[in-house]
């Protein structure tokens, strides 16, 4: 229905829809290049799923790696992608990404509040693939001081509560190791004590954490940069429809707190609304394991309901449904809240630690638990017979859960009773009792654990090769002193389990775009004035997952490229 003739109107150069990494990167870049930018976010808070993420970006040949003496020719990461993506490898887009991503990092380091830490010791996921790297291809947002946001820090989406300690984010890597070792190493105890005391001080003075980490730091630094660059950020403004003059897109009508608002955007519109992780109809169409659209429990923010894809299609854009997987698959557990809501917790860390196995209802292992979250889910989907629920149980003993935690349940000294009382955790004094509590075949589980314990003692997983790639070993715990950093016996009760189901960190299937992030029509021609970034853009990876950070890296880079194209700026 057309809006009333009296609909108020504003003008800008570039309109960005969505406030995750892709949208904020586009907005900040465009403002730096002199464009007047409006950023519209339908939620009251900005940051999107980025604020809940780990904040890692896959950026081969990045400036931090080069400064550390790690150099490689562009052809090596290009060859890795060629091997990994197979028939879905798009040379033009892959090369454009690998050339632009390091420059993107350099731009944000030099011109914005966003700074980075290196991931020079983080390997690619698939160490057996030719041209995989053992490090130097990753960066993460550096910790960020939220005080730089000033009075607007309340607009930033907080991190997912279940991934924090009392609301305090814990940085991956060295900081997380300190927290896991706080009861074993005096230096770690002292570090954790300082962090907890600092967080307590922040709560007293500011009612929230001031030291932001991981994706929360990425979203916060980008948001601060947008505010400082003069971006007109409007929360609670949902896009109703695009404005078009023939084929050209020149703005959108937004629904805001005061009613409709017409935004004329001379240089066009960037769609960065977060993909379709909570769009049941699109999930039903594109995810075979979600026949009703409800069987897929994404860990993305609930507001990501496919708005950008529908807007792009209304202008002639095409959603690519040809990927190996339409979603960035990951196992999630369902965390019940007292108010009846359920959180989706992504299992990214503990699966590789020594002393955990994953089994299906028959009690048998089906996967190398230390492989990537995507590979874990692909294996679970393949192992589940037709007609059976797609689910698995992560199983461990008491020593493991007290050292590493299990899902949303934290390690010692934090209590487990709440997680047990609510049914999130299952416990049994014996393996047979645990199996009964979970609906797992008891004989199968006992036989699996007996075989696992024998292999763990030898330090070799003869079934799934757990612990044999660089990525596995980095995710494990070499300091635990086992023969294999990813293997330890499951032997001393009580035993614990948590159920995991199909989920994702976001979606891959998006609008087809070119190397400048321009949305393409059915003929493959760019739609004038229309761009897509983040998960609204069809994934460069063709539905595969070769390394950590392959969502945020392209989101930042193609958001940056979209803004440069809209501004008519030379990349170099």
């Amino acid at each position: 229905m057309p809006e009333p003739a009296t609909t108020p109107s504003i003008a800008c150069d570039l309109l960005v829809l969505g406030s995750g990494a892709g949208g904020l990167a586009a907005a900040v870049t465009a403002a730096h290049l002199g464009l007047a930018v409006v950023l519209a976010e339908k939620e009251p808070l900005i940051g999107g799923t980025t604020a809940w993420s780990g904040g890692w970006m896959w950026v081969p040949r990045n400036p931090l790696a080069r400064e550390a003496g790690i150099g490689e020719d562009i052809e090596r990461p290009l060859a890795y992608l060629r091997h990994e993506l197979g028939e879905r490898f798009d040379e033009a887009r892959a090369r454009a990404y690998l050339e632009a991503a390091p420059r993107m990092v350099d731009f944000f380091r030099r011109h914005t509040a966003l700074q980075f830490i290196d991931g020079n010791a983080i390997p690619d996921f698939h160490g057996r693939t030719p041209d995989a790297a053992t490090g130097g291809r990753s960066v993460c947002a550096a910790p960020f001081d939220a005080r730089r946001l000033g009075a607007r820090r309340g607009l930033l989406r907080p991190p997912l509560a279940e991934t924090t300690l009392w609301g305090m984010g814990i940085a991956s890597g060295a900081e997380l190791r300190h927290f896991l070792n706080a009861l074993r190493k005096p230096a770690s105890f002292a570090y954790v004590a300082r962090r907890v005391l600092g967080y307590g001080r922040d709560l007293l003075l500011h009612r929230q954490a001031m030291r932001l980490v991981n994706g929360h730091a990425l979203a916060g630094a980008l948001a601060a940069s947008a505010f400082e660059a003069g971006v007109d950020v409007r929360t609670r403004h949902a896009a109703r429809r695009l404005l078009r003059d023939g084929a050209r897109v020149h703005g959108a009508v937004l629904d805001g707190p005061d009613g409709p608002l017409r935004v004329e955007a001379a240089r066009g519109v960037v769609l960065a609304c977060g993909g379709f992780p909570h769009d049941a109809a699109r999930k039903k169409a594109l995810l075979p394991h979600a026949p009703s659209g409800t069987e897929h429990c994404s860990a993305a923010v609930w507001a990501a309901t496919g708005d950008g894809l529908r807007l792009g299609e209304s202008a002639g854009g095409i959603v690519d449904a040809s990927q190996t997987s339409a979603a960035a698959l990951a196992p999630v557990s369902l965390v019940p809240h007292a108010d009846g809501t359920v959180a989706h917790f992504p299992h990214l860390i503990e699966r590789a630690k020594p002393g955990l196995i994953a089994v299906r209802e028959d009690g048998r292992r089906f996967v190398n638990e230390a492989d990537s979250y995507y590979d874990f889910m692909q294996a679970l989907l393949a192992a589940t017979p037709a007609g059976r629920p797609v689910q698995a149980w992560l199983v461990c003993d008491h020593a493991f859960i007290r050292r590493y935690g299990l899902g949303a349940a934290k390690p010692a000294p934090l209590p487990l009773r709440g997680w047990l009382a609510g049914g999130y955790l299952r416990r049994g004094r014996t393996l047979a009792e645990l199996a009964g509590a979970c609906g797992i075949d008891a004989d199968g589980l006992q036989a699996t654990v007996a075989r696992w314990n024998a292999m763990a003692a030898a330090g070799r997983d003869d079934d799934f090769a757990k612990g044999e790639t660089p990525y596995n070993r980095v995710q494990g715990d070499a300091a635990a002193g086992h023969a294999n950093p990813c293997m330890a016996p499951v032997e001393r009760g009580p035993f614990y389990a948590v159920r995991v189901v199909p989920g994702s960190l976001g979606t891959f299937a998006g609008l087809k775009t070119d190397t400048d992030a321009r949305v393409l029509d059915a003929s493959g021609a760019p739609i004038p004035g229309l761009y897509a970034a983040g998960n609204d853009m069809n994934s460069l990876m063709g539905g595969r997952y070769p390394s950590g950070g392959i969502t945020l890296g392209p989101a930042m880079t193609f958001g940056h490229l979209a803004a440069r194209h809209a501004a008519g700026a030379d990349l170099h």
Side-chain angles (χ1 to χ4, degrees), residues 230-405:
V231 174
D232 181 357
V233 177
R234 295 181 178 236
T235 58
R236 304 178 190 269
H237 279 75
R240 176 194 296 176
R241 66 180 181 89
L242 296 175
L243 299 176
R244 298 167 62 196
D245 181 5
R248 179 171 184 79
V249 174
H250 61 90
V253 176
L254 311 178
D255 281 329
D258 299 320
L261 175 67
R262 184 181 179 95
V263 182
E264 296 280 354
R267 305 293 182 94
V269 175
V270 179
L271 302 173
C273 303
F276 66 95
H278 297 295
D279 178 354
R282 188 90 62 178
K283 288 191 292 182
K284 179 179 179 180
L286 296 180
L287 298 175
H289 63 271
S292 73
T294 61
E295 297 86 351
H296 183 87
C297 302
S298 181
V301 295
W302 291 99
T305 54
D307 299 346
L309 303 193
R310 290 187 291 272
L311 290 167
E313 288 173 325
S314 75
I318 304 297
V319 173
D320 189 345
S322 67
Q323 299 91 337
T324 302
S325 171
L329 299 172
V332 304
S333 53
L334 306 181
V335 186
H337 290 171
D339 63 1
T341 60
V342 176
H344 298 167
F345 181 92
H347 288 258
L348 309 181
I349 295 173
E350 87 273 54
R351 292 175 295 100
K353 298 296 186 284
L356 176 145
I357 61 172
V359 300
R360 292 187 53 258
E361 59 191 12
D362 59 7
R364 300 179 182 276
R365 291 175 69 217
F366 59 91
V367 70
N368 174 349
E369 297 90 346
D371 278 349
S372 76
Y373 32 89
Y374 178 89
D375 293 340
F376 181 101
M377 276 309 309
Q378 289 281 40
L380 178 56
L381 290 169
T384 302
R388 298 301 303 165
V390 183
Q391 61 182 17
W393 294 87
L394 304 182
V395 176
C396 67
D397 65 12
H398 190 73
F400 180 98
I401 199 170
R402 294 288 69 196
R403 177 156 188 171
Y404 302 110

Side-chain angles (χ1 to χ4, degrees), residues 18-350:
S19 65
L24 284 168
V28 171
T29 302
H32 175 78
L33 295 173
L35 300 190
V37 182
V38 172
L39 184 147
E41 166 58 57
K42 73 176 183 180
E43 288 283 281
L45 302 171
I46 59 177
T49 301
T50 297
W52 285 5
S53 74
W56 286 97
M57 293 152 267
W58 192 68
V59 183
R61 304 165 55 249
N62 67 77
L64 285 78
R66 293 198 304 269
E67 290 163 10
I70 302 173
E72 60 179 343
D73 187 83
I74 193 173
E75 295 301 325
R76 188 168 173 235
L78 198 65
Y80 179 64
L81 290 182
R82 189 178 291 111
H83 288 299
E84 284 281 298
L85 308 188
E87 72 281 1
R88 290 173 175 81
F89 176 70
D90 182 336
E91 172 114 18
R93 290 179 76 211
R95 189 176 290 275
Y97 173 66
L98 292 172
E99 289 175 346
R103 297 172 186 151
M104 175 274 295
V105 172
D106 183 62
F107 168 85
F108 281 96
R109 288 178 86 192
R110 289 188 293 115
H111 299 299
T112 76
L114 175 60
Q115 298 301 304
F116 300 85
I117 56 175
D118 71 74
N120 290 341
I122 297 177
D124 288 327
F125 280 171
H126 301 135
R128 297 184 180 90
T129 299
D131 297 296
T134 56
R137 292 180 176 174
S138 301
V139 295
C140 186
F144 178 72
D145 188 342
R147 286 173 292 191
R148 185 160 174 173
L149 286 162
R152 288 179 285 199
R153 61 178 175 262
L155 291 176
L156 182 65
R157 180 182 297 279
L160 181 65
E162 284 75 16
T163 64
T164 69
L165 178 62
W166 308 311
M168 177 180 65
I170 300 173
S172 57
E175 182 164 290
L176 177 59
R177 287 193 293 273
H178 277 306
F179 274 83
L180 292 177
N181 290 317
L183 298 184
R184 294 170 183 83
K185 297 182 178 181
S188 291
F189 179 85
Y191 179 91
V192 169
R194 289 194 299 272
R195 285 283 286 113
V196 171
L197 289 172
Y199 176 58
R201 183 175 60 250
D202 286 346
L203 291 180
L204 286 173
L205 296 177
H206 308 289
R207 298 186 179 180
Q208 64 186 89
M210 291 294 104
R211 181 181 182 271
L212 312 186
V213 297
N214 303 330
H216 200 209
L218 176 59
L222 287 171
S225 301
F227 293 136
E228 292 169 6
V231 174
D232 181 357
V233 177
R234 295 181 178 236
T235 58
R236 304 178 190 269
H237 279 75
R240 176 194 296 176
R241 66 180 181 89
L242 296 175
L243 299 176
R244 298 167 62 196
D245 181 5
R248 179 171 184 79
V249 174
H250 61 90
V253 176
L254 311 178
D255 281 329
D258 299 320
L261 175 67
R262 184 181 179 95
V263 182
E264 296 280 354
R267 305 293 182 94
V269 175
V270 179
L271 302 173
C273 303
F276 66 95
H278 297 295
D279 178 354
R282 188 90 62 178
K283 288 191 292 182
K284 179 179 179 180
L286 296 180
L287 298 175
H289 63 271
S292 73
T294 61
E295 297 86 351
H296 183 87
C297 302
S298 181
V301 295
W302 291 99
T305 54
D307 299 346
L309 303 193
R310 290 187 291 272
L311 290 167
E313 288 173 325
S314 75
I318 304 297
V319 173
D320 189 345
S322 67
Q323 299 91 337
T324 302
S325 171
L329 299 172
V332 304
S333 53
L334 306 181
V335 186
H337 290 171
D339 63 1
T341 60
V342 176
H344 298 167
F345 181 92
H347 288 258
L348 309 181
I349 295 173
E350 87 273 54

